[in-house]
């Protein structure tokens, strides 16, 4: 496609992205491909929330021993999107969100407050995943390098669209020091998302949004609150869920825990939220610092 034709297609897509009359989105048009991604992630319109829910299992994987079912997991993310414009890249959108995942007793399904570590014999406090915010950079029909936006992972099979993607993570662990490039300790994980959604629901803009199902896998280091002291091994999270029609569809175990301990999570962050994202590691640092007694000055002579 020539540059002139590409820019014309972008302009046409941008003009048609929010029409008065319903139409069919075309994944080959950059602005429409971007709109499909927005309909996957967001609610009905700017500022209207969307809620994702998932549930699954959390296993250990340690060399030389069978995998263990450590926890059941019950999670949610509440998000909203807003339109953003760039003079060179066109009209795009930005997502803001916050999310929770509870660790549940694998036998009773109850929310865990304490956990008996089977490797160390120590009983530790459980810190559930509660990250606020988890925001995304803006997306536009023209990428930062000037190429057209395209959802390379999107594929259609009959009435279904599938949108799988992987997020390899390898970054400086905020709990470690500045020598991690030499001594190790960097956070190493992979997040794997597989979305599936009805093509007719997605492509026909008479539907205000779409309601995908999603599977989520995470392979990661031990959670810091487990107090594993550098033991070899990994965690494997495996869950499935979907976008709900509203917050009230969440299961009682999540709504009760949010009401008790996380009241802010009934709504998404403001669309102009400029805070840095939180992770398990940054939240744990604050959590453990709050729990640790203040250091007392040592005496001297």
């Amino acid at each position: 496609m020539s540059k002139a034709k590409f820019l014309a297609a972008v302009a046409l897509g941008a003009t048609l992205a929010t029409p008065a009359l319903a139409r069919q989105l075309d994944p080959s048009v950059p602005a429409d491909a971007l709109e499909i991604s927005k309909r996957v992630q967001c609610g009905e319109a700017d500022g209207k929330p969307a809620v994702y829910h998932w549930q699954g299992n959390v296993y250990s994987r340690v060399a030389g021993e069978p995998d263990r079912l450590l926890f059941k997991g019950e999670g949610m993310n509440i998000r909203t999107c807003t339109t953003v414009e760039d003079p060179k890249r066109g009209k795009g959108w930005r997502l803001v969100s916050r999310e929770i995942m509870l660790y549940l007793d694998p036998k009773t399904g109850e929310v865990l407050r304490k956990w008996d570590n089977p490797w160390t014999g120590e009983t530790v406090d459980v810190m559930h995943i509660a990250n606020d915010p988890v925001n995304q950079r803006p997306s536009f029909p023209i990428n930062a390098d000037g190429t057209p936006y395209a959802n390379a992972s999107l594929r259609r099979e009959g009435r279904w669209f599938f949108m799988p993607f992987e997020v390899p993570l390898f970054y400086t662990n905020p709990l470690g020091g500045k020598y991690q490039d030499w001594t190790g300790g960097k956070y190493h994980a992979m997040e794997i998302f597989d979305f599936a959604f009805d093509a007719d629901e997605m492509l026909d803009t008479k539907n205000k949004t779409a309601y995908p199902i999603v599977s989520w896998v995470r392979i990661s280091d031990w959670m810091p609150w487990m107090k594993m002291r550098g033991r070899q091994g990994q965690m494997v999270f495996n869950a499935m869920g979907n976008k709900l029609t509203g917050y009230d569809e969440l299961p009682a175990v999540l709504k009760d825990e949010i009401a008790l301990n996380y009241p802010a999570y009934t709504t998404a962050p403001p669309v102009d939220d400029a805070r840095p994202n939180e992770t398990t590691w940054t939240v744990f640092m604050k959590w453990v610092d709050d729990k640790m007694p203040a250091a007392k000055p040592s005496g001297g002579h």
Side-chain angles (χ1 to χ4, degrees), residues 102-120:
L102 304 176
Y103 296 102
L104 309 181
D105 186 292
K107 294 181 180 178
T108 67
E110 295 178 347
V111 178
L112 286 170
R113 310 294 177 192
K114 301 280 187 179
W115 179 64
D116 296 325
N117 186 321
W119 291 276
T120 68

Side-chain angles (χ1 to χ4, degrees), residues 228-243:
M228 293 294 278
R229 297 184 177 88
R231 280 173 170 77
Q232 182 273 330
Q234 294 177 311
M235 300 180 75
V236 179
F237 298 70
N238 183 41
M240 287 196 70
N242 62 302
K243 189 201 285 186

Side-chain angles (χ1 to χ4, degrees), residues 31 35 50 58 69 112 128 139 152 178 233 248 250 255 273 292:
E35 180 68 14
V58 184
L69 175 60
L112 286 170
H128 302 284
S139 297
K178 61 183 180 179
D248 288 341
L250 286 171
K255 289 191 290 187
D273 188 7
M292 291 176 65

Side-chain angles (χ1 to χ4, degrees), residues 35-215:
E35 180 68 14
I36 290 170
S37 294
K38 182 180 180 183
R39 288 163 68 82
V40 169
Q41 299 293 345
C42 305
E44 294 181 6
D46 279 14
K48 290 199 173 183
V51 179
Y52 267 96
H53 165 250
W54 63 91
Q55 60 183 192
N57 297 320
V58 184
Y59 287 87
S60 66
R61 171 149 290 191
V62 176
E65 68 175 52
D67 299 340
R68 306 189 196 198
L69 175 60
L70 300 179
F71 315 107
K72 294 286 187 180
E74 194 85 45
M76 62 83 72
N77 177 291
I78 187 163
R79 75 259 311 267
T80 192
C81 289
T82 187
T83 298
V84 292
E85 295 196 39
D86 182 274
K88 294 183 178 179
R89 300 174 62 189
K91 182 183 290 186
W93 57 271
R94 176 182 186 246
L95 180 147
V96 294
S97 79
R98 48 174 64 106
E99 65 189 16
I100 283 176
M101 196 189 82
L102 304 176
Y103 296 102
L104 309 181
D105 186 292
K107 294 181 180 178
T108 67
E110 295 178 347
V111 178
L112 286 170
R113 310 294 177 192
K114 301 280 187 179
W115 179 64
D116 296 325
N117 186 321
W119 291 276
T120 68
E122 187 173 0
T123 299
V124 297
D125 293 329
V126 175
M127 191 195 82
H128 302 284
I129 294 173
N131 296 334
D132 176 22
V134 183
N135 299 338
Q136 292 184 8
R137 296 186 182 94
S139 297
F140 298 95
I142 301 175
N143 297 319
D145 62 2
T147 59
Y149 176 88
N151 193 332
S153 68
L154 184 67
R155 73 176 192 271
R156 184 169 183 172
E157 295 186 12
R159 62 169 288 192
W160 292 100
F161 271 120
F162 298 101
M163 193 176 78
F165 61 93
E166 302 82 34
V167 184
L169 300 170
F170 188 73
Y171 58 77
T172 299
N173 188 329
L175 300 178
K178 61 183 180 179
Y179 304 105
Q180 292 175 37
D181 282 341
W182 294 269
T183 64
K186 285 183 176 287
Y187 177 62
H188 191 189
M190 179 177 283
E191 306 257 4
I192 303 169
F193 299 89
D194 295 299
F195 290 89
F197 39 90
D198 184 279
D200 291 337
E201 179 185 64
M202 173 60 69
L203 296 180
D204 193 337
T205 62
K206 74 180 181 183
N207 302 311
K208 293 182 180 180
T209 188
Y211 293 92
I213 59 175
V214 62
S215 69

Side-chain angles (χ1 to χ4, degrees), residues 25-36:
L25 296 171
D26 181 352
S28 69
V29 175
D32 281 5
L34 189 68
E35 180 68 14
I36 290 170

